[in-house]
């Protein structure tokens, strides 16, 4: 390394790090006339310089020659000659432009840059409306338009770029800019092909915005109009235009780039240890001898940074301690940069941050569904309108973490970036996000870790053996990876662990499984042990005639061990929970469901904070109480460390609630609208009255949150899949219950203990193991039927 690298330094207490060289695009030489590679390089799509003798020539060599229509070549351009255009409507509705015929190459297939020099005439007066600089779009949803907007009261105008994406269009706006008559200014717009559009004025950043969900523009068939709109009403630019270039890349025009590289933009009031990290990059071909920056939060508490000897291509990290004690609002972080000397440069950039209020305790209302950043963004408004406080929103790339064998970033970079942006938006909207994590289930794809029967053969249904140490370590690594990747974002509040895994697990007979049972009990696995739900006593020789089972009965001991620890899922939940809390987030809570699809033993869920269970309300909503009481009994055995939440299914099996006519049968005389419009619907919407009665049944118990599943049955969506929206009133009834009961009474409900009951019922583990009793969370019949003698 060159010795002078060690002499670089920054004079200020809040700057940390050392300069580094990174591969990045350097600043374009926009101050000069483009020649050589800048004129005809591989990224140049077209270049028009309007020089004498070659006024209509495309200097890129791609043959995009111009035709002048109402505009003309003029001798006094920024570099030699230029294109002179004139005012259109309302002065006169005539075209004044240079036109390049339609060519697919003029529709960039990805990132691109539009740029030109402009010199307004006095005719760009206060009463002149918007002026078109480039137009290949017109009124279609293809290609692009670049427009100088109408004049504001202070004499400024905003640039805008409108891009067509086939089905619709999107628009990007610059900050207002004053373009004085007779003065030349360089204007540029860049688009990265993935939603981010940026403006530059004389090499200075002049506004940037990312629009989620946007990609490549759609190619169109219009010609390209320079200096005017494609068609009437014509809005020509009254002035001169020079050096118009279209490039197939998002180019750089700043000699120095200041980027906010922190992932977070939203912070909680009085949050500690918050900072913003910037990177200052020298994009010039020579070193910057000195530069100064002043960073402030809305011009408050300004702090100065002095930089010396920043090499070409080098970047320097700058940390700015953020004051979160200000009142909740959106604030600009203003950074003023000044480079003195012969190549003097000054710029001011603003980066928006938001401070949100500290949250008061609230009763969780969880949408058990979604699962992706795209879903959360698309449905955030409807989720909040109904009253949901939390939704599933992030996950993990299990294969990536498995391959690393240790905690790492939880997903590929683009997925991580999307998830972090969503978490910031969710915090601003006061919506909690939960991770959905089932690494143990994913590990079943590894054949060597699957459960095996007594003969050592894998079961037909692939399922992981949870007693492999590597599976436990993997689960902990997944939890730690998610915590390290998303834990710094306060919107991540919860995680659902290993949903719907235990009900299809079967006893496993690896040598280490047999050894684990022997170590726990001193016994060998009984030869009669088979399925997870026990063995019918009538098949057992020498079973006690009075059907009273001794505590040391080998099968009884085996199934106790199996449901507490032998199937491995409780330990895997604990490992995942341990990883999630490894970074010290004390407010992050975890839950496991469906927690009562097990035999009646204490300790379901491992060390998770919350147990939950989903239940269908038919045939009678009061049956919601059965699973809720089972959860409370399970949690009660932990000494109060576990809490209980309860989920109601928004979906109904149509086969069990409104069966369709059998083949050949005539439909009933009356059919609901949904039966006529969606005769193939396999799952329909729960009735509002059922949802309401289920709500009161569970809210009357000391639970600490409610959940609902079946978003496509709750609200109309574009992709309903098997879940169908068949009752428009259900969502409104849920919104009313949340608004009138949960929100005003929620803090109290979290604190009030449950009332003692005068009625109790016994769930016998021995009866479940030897007489096949028990609901295992399904509740197919009433307990009187399930537990008959």
């Amino acid at each position: 390394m060159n010795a002078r690298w060690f002499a670089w330094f920054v004079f200020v207490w809040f700057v940390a790090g050392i300069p580094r060289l990174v591969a990045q695009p350097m600043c374009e030489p926009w101050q000069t006339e483009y020649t050589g590679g800048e004129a005809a390089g591989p990224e140049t799509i077209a270049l028009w310089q309007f020089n004498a003798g070659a006024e209509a020539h495309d200097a890129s060599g791609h043959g995009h020659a111009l035709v002048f229509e109402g505009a003309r070549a003029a001798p006094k351009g920024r570099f030699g000659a230029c294109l002179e255009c004139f005012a259109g409507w309302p002065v006169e509705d005539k075209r004044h432009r240079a036109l390049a015929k339609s060519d697919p190459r003029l529709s960039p297939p990805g990132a691109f840059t539009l740029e030109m020099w402009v010199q307004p005439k006095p005719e760009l007066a206060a009463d002149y409306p918007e002026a078109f600089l480039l137009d290949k779009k017109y009124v279609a949803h293809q290609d692009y338009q670049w427009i100088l907007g109408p004049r504001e009261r202070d004499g400024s105008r905003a640039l805008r770029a409108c891009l067509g994406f086939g089905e619709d269009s999107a628009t990007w706006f610059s900050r207002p800019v004053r373009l004085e008559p007779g003065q030349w200014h360089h204007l540029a717009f860049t688009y990265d092909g993935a939603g981010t559009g940026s403006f530059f004025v004389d090499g200075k950043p002049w506004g940037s915005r990312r629009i989620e969900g946007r990609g490549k523009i759609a190619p169109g068939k219009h010609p390209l109009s320079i200096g005017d709109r494609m068609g009437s009403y014509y809005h020509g630019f009254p002035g001169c235009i020079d050096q118009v270039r279209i490039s197939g890349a998002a180019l750089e025009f700043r000699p120095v780039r200041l980027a906010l590289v922190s992932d977070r933009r939203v912070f909680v009031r009085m949050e500690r240890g918050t900072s913003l990290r910037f990177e200052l990059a020298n994009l010039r071909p020579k070193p910057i001898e000195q530069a100064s920056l002043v960073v402030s939060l809305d011009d408050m508490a300004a702090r100065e940074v002095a930089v010396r000897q920043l090499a070409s291509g080098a970047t320097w990290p700058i940390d700015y301690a953020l004051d979160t004690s200000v009142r909740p609002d959106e604030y600009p972080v203003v950074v003023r940069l000044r480079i003195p000397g012969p190549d003097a440069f000054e710029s001011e950039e603003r980066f928006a941050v938001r401070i949100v209020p500290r949250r008061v305790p609230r009763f969780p209302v969880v949408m058990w569904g979604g699962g992706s950043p795209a879903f959360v963004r698309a449905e955030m408004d409807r989720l909040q309108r109904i009253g949901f406080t939390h939704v599933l929103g992030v996950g993990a790339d299990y294969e990536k973490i498995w391959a690393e064998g240790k905690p790492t970033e939880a997903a590929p970079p683009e997925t991580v970036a999307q998830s972090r942006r969503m978490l910031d938006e969710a915090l601003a909207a006061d919506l909690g996000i939960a991770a959905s994590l089932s690494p143990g289930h994913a590990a079943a794809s590894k054949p060597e870790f699957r459960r095996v029967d007594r003969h050592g053969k894998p079961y037909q249904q692939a399922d992981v053996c949870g007693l492999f140490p590597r599976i436990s370590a993997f689960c902990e690594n997944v939890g730690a990876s998610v915590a390290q990747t998303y834990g710094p974002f306060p919107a991540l509040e919860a995680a659902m662990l290993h949903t719907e895994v235990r009900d299809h697990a079967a006893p496993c007979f690896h040598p280490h499984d047999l050894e684990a049972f022997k170590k726990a009990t001193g016994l060998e696995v009984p030869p009669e042990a088979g399925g997870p739900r026990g063995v019918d006593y009538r098949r057992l020789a020498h079973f006690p005639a009075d059907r009273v089972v001794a505590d040391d009965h080998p099968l009884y001991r085996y199934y106790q061990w199996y449901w507490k620890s032998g199937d491995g899922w409780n330990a895997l939940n604990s490992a995942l929970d341990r990883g999630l809390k490894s970074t010290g987030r004390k407010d992050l809570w975890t839950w496991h469901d469906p927690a009562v699809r097990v035999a009646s033993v204490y300790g379901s869920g491992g060390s998770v904070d919350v147990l939950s269970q989903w239940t269908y309300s038919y045939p009678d909503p009061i049956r919601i109480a059965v699973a809720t009481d089972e959860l409370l009994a399970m949690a009660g055995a932990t000494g109060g460390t576990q809490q209980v939440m309860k989920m109601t299914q928004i979906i109904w099996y149509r086969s069990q609630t409104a069966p369709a006519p059998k083949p050949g049968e005539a439909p009933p005389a009356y059919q609901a609208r949904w039966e006529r419009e969606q005769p193939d619907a396999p799952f329909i919407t729960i009735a509002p009255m059922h949802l309401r009665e289920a709500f009161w049944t569970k809210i009357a118990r000391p639970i600490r949150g409610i959940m609902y599943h079946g978003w496509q049955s709750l609200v109309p969506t574009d992709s309903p899949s098997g879940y169908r929206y068949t009752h428009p009133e259900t969502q409104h009834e849920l919104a009313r219950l949340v608004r009138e009961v949960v929100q005003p009474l929620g803090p109290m409900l979290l604190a009030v203990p449950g009332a003692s009951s005068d009625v109790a019922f016994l769930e016998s583990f021995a009866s479940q193991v030897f007489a096949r009793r028990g609901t295992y969370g399904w509740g197919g019949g009433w307990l009187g039927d399930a537990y008959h003698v």
Side-chain angles (χ1 to χ4, degrees):
M1 182 180 291
N2 192 305
R4 69 190 181 95
W5 279 53
F6 295 101
W8 294 348
F9 52 91
V10 177
F11 291 105
V12 74
W13 67 268
F14 63 97
V15 176
I18 58 174
R20 58 192 178 95
L21 289 169
V22 295
Q24 56 190 328
M26 301 300 285
C27 175
E28 295 295 303
W30 55 269
Q31 300 94 331
T32 62
E33 185 173 26
Y34 289 141
T35 59
E38 286 79 29
E43 292 178 344
T44 304
I45 295 173
L47 172 63
W48 298 281
Q49 296 174 315
F50 312 105
N51 288 332
E55 291 85 350
H57 177 65
D58 172 15
S60 74
H62 294 146
H64 302 297
L66 298 173
V67 175
F68 295 94
E69 298 178 344
R72 65 191 181 192
K76 296 182 178 181
R78 179 64 178 81
F79 309 106
C82 65
L83 174 70
E84 184 180 8
C85 297
F86 303 91
W89 186 89
V91 178
E92 58 175 353
D93 189 19
K94 293 182 179 180
R95 52 182 174 262
H96 305 95
R97 66 191 182 192
L99 197 70
K101 69 178 182 180
S102 178
D103 189 313
R105 292 174 296 178
L106 292 174
S107 301
F112 64 89
T113 296
L114 312 174
E115 60 174 304
M116 64 174 62
W117 284 87
V118 299
Q119 182 193 57
K121 296 179 181 179
E123 287 91 321
L124 191 67
D127 57 350
Y128 190 73
E130 61 188 18
F132 279 65
L133 304 176
L134 292 175
D135 186 12
K136 197 178 183 304
K137 184 177 186 295
Y138 195 37
V139 295
H141 288 310
Q142 293 89 31
D143 282 324
Y144 46 87
Q145 289 172 331
W146 195 15
I147 304 165
L148 183 64
R151 179 180 170 121
E152 303 292 338
R153 290 184 178 182
D154 63 356
S156 64
R157 295 172 181 260
L159 293 159
R160 74 176 188 266
C162 186
L163 308 184
F165 296 94
E167 296 294 328
D168 62 355
S169 300
T171 303
W172 285 256
F173 294 89
S174 78
R175 291 160 39 202
V177 57
R178 292 179 65 92
L179 301 178
E180 299 295 341
Q183 295 184 11
W184 283 99
H185 293 277
H186 181 265
L187 308 179
F189 171 75
T190 68
Y191 180 67
D192 70 351
T196 298
S198 304
F199 295 89
F200 299 88
V201 176
D202 295 331
K204 300 177 182 179
W206 221 259
S208 181
R209 179 191 179 200
R210 177 182 176 85
I211 301 180
E212 294 294 335
R214 297 301 182 180
K216 302 173 183 178
I217 63 169
K221 296 182 179 180
H222 285 301
L224 173 66
S225 176
I226 303 175
D228 205 344
R229 192 170 186 239
M230 261 305 305
S232 179
Y233 290 126
Y234 293 102
H235 288 290
F237 170 72
C240 295
I241 296 175
D242 201 358
Q243 190 153 261
V244 179
R245 186 172 71 164
I246 301 175
S247 305
L251 303 179
E252 185 59 74
F253 297 93
R254 294 168 285 186
V256 179
R257 182 185 66 237
L258 183 76
L260 177 56
V261 297
S262 300
D263 292 309
R264 287 187 61 188
R265 305 288 192 276
V266 184
F267 302 87
V268 180
R269 187 168 188 264
M270 306 305 293
E271 184 179 346
R272 296 181 178 180
T274 57
S275 65
L276 298 174
R277 169 154 288 202
F278 298 89
E279 274 192 352
L280 183 67
N282 180 10
L283 307 182
R284 290 176 167 179
K286 58 183 180 180
I288 294 175
E289 300 298 330
Q290 60 177 326
S292 64
L293 299 94
V294 176
V295 189
S296 66
L297 180 67
D298 199 18
D299 290 327
M300 298 182 291
R303 296 168 181 169
E304 185 174 357
V305 183
V307 180
R308 301 283 189 273
Q309 292 296 317
L310 187 60
S312 175
T315 65
W316 194 297
I318 302 170
D319 287 332
Y320 175 76
L322 186 65
D323 181 6
T324 59
S325 66
V326 295
R327 65 180 176 83
D329 204 345
E330 183 170 287
Y331 294 89
V333 175
V334 184
V335 184
R336 295 181 175 91
L337 170 67
R338 180 175 180 272
I339 302 175
D343 297 323
F345 178 79
E346 295 184 9
S347 71
E348 177 183 297
E349 296 197 50
R350 293 170 174 258
F351 304 90
V353 298
R354 177 173 288 279
I355 308 297
V356 300
R358 288 171 288 184
R359 180 177 294 145
V360 299
R362 59 180 177 176
F363 193 89
V365 182
V366 183
M367 167 42 62
W368 195 112
S372 71
F375 173 86
V376 175
R377 283 200 186 92
E379 299 290 6
M380 192 175 294
D381 289 343
R382 286 204 290 188
L383 286 164
Q384 291 183 299
R385 176 178 57 77
I386 294 171
F388 288 106
T389 62
H390 295 77
V391 62
L392 298 177
V394 296
D397 187 326
Y398 303 124
E399 285 299 323
K400 180 177 185 293
I401 301 169
W402 179 273
E404 287 287 338
K406 60 183 180 181
T408 183
E409 277 218 324
E414 180 58 28
T415 302
V416 169
Q418 291 175 356
S419 298
R420 287 172 172 170
R421 286 194 294 270
M422 178 273 292
L423 288 166
D424 244 16
E425 295 169 15
L427 181 61
D430 196 23
L431 182 66
I433 302 300
S436 177
L437 304 174
S438 289
H441 178 72
S445 64
K446 315 293 181 184
E448 64 271 32
F449 295 103
R450 290 178 182 169
R451 295 176 187 264
V452 297
D453 61 18
R454 282 188 176 274
H455 305 290
K457 294 182 179 180
Y459 287 105
Q460 184 174 1
Q461 180 165 344
D463 191 26
V464 73
C465 173
L467 298 190
F468 275 105
R470 186 172 179 187
I471 302 301
S472 179
F474 171 57
C475 290
E476 187 166 351
N477 288 341
V478 168
S481 298
V482 171
Q484 293 173 18
T485 305
Y486 304 123
F489 292 78
L492 180 67
E493 297 186 24
M496 177 178 68
L497 313 188
H498 290 132
T499 184
E500 204 167 10
V501 291
R502 299 192 73 183
D503 49 340
H504 62 255
C508 189
F509 298 95
H510 289 109
H512 63 251
D513 294 292
L514 305 179
E515 179 61 29
F517 176 67
K518 187 172 185 179
K519 184 177 180 180
T521 65
L523 303 173
E524 302 290 339
V525 175
E528 300 90 350
R533 297 194 180 186
V535 181
D536 191 323
Y537 72 94
R538 288 168 293 191
R539 295 170 50 193
L540 298 173
H542 310 297
F543 192 81
D546 59 3
R547 301 181 191 176
V548 176
V549 180
D551 289 343
D552 61 353
H553 191 289
L555 270 178
Y556 189 64
R557 295 288 304 278
Y558 175 77
Y559 280 105
Q560 281 182 318
W561 171 82
Y562 174 82
W563 281 111
K564 284 181 174 291
S565 60
D567 76 341
W569 283 113
N570 284 338
L572 295 186
N573 283 336
S574 296
L576 185 51
D577 179 78
R578 188 164 56 248
L580 282 163
K581 296 172 181 175
S582 61
T583 61
R585 277 284 303 271
K586 296 181 179 180
D587 60 330
L588 187 67
W589 50 275
T590 57
W591 86 84
H592 167 68
D593 62 23
V596 298
R597 288 200 195 165
V598 296
S600 297
V601 297
Y602 297 118
S604 183
S607 63
V608 298
D609 301 300
V610 177
L611 300 179
S612 184
Q613 174 74 23
W614 61 73
T615 310
Y616 297 89
S617 66
Y618 51 80
D620 190 329
I622 199 172
R623 64 194 292 269
I624 295 286
V626 175
T628 309
D629 288 338
E630 287 179 313
L631 289 170
L632 290 168
M634 285 183 180
T638 64
T641 58
Q642 278 184 331
Q643 301 294 331
V644 168
M645 299 182 74
K646 187 67 188 72
M647 189 234 280
T648 302
Q649 287 280 10
I650 295 170
I651 60 169
W652 273 356
Y653 277 80
R654 182 181 178 184
S655 60
Q656 299 184 46
T657 54
K662 296 179 180 179
E665 285 185 353
Y670 171 79
Q671 285 187 309
R673 180 175 177 179
W674 68 267
E675 291 180 283
R676 298 191 302 272
E677 296 178 350
Q678 304 181 72
D680 62 337
F683 299 97
I684 61 176
T685 309
I686 185 176
M689 63 178 294
H690 266 246
L691 182 138
R692 180 175 61 250
E693 295 307 312
F695 170 87
W696 285 115
T697 298
K698 60 188 181 183
I699 209 75
R701 288 162 167 77
I703 60 175
R704 295 299 178 259
I706 54 178
M707 300 186 190
Y708 294 91
H709 167 252
W711 179 252
Q712 296 94 333
S713 290
L714 184 63
V715 297
T717 63
D718 293 332
S719 54
S721 185
Y723 298 168
R724 303 298 176 85
Y725 173 72
T726 60
H727 205 307
E729 295 303 318
T730 299
Q731 61 171 308
H732 302 298
E733 180 61 13
L734 177 56
R736 184 189 70 81
L737 292 168
V738 174
R739 183 178 63 253
E740 296 181 2
V741 180
V742 177
Q743 290 175 350
L745 301 181
M748 180 198 70
L749 293 173
L750 291 172
V752 173
S756 298
S757 175
D758 295 330
V759 178
F761 62 85
L762 171 67
E763 289 190 346
S764 168
F765 177 74
S767 294
Q768 292 172 346
V769 168
F770 294 107
R772 300 301 180 91
R773 307 301 188 206
T775 66
Y776 287 88
W778 287 102
W782 291 101
L783 291 187
D785 296 326
Y787 291 94
H788 67 277
V789 177

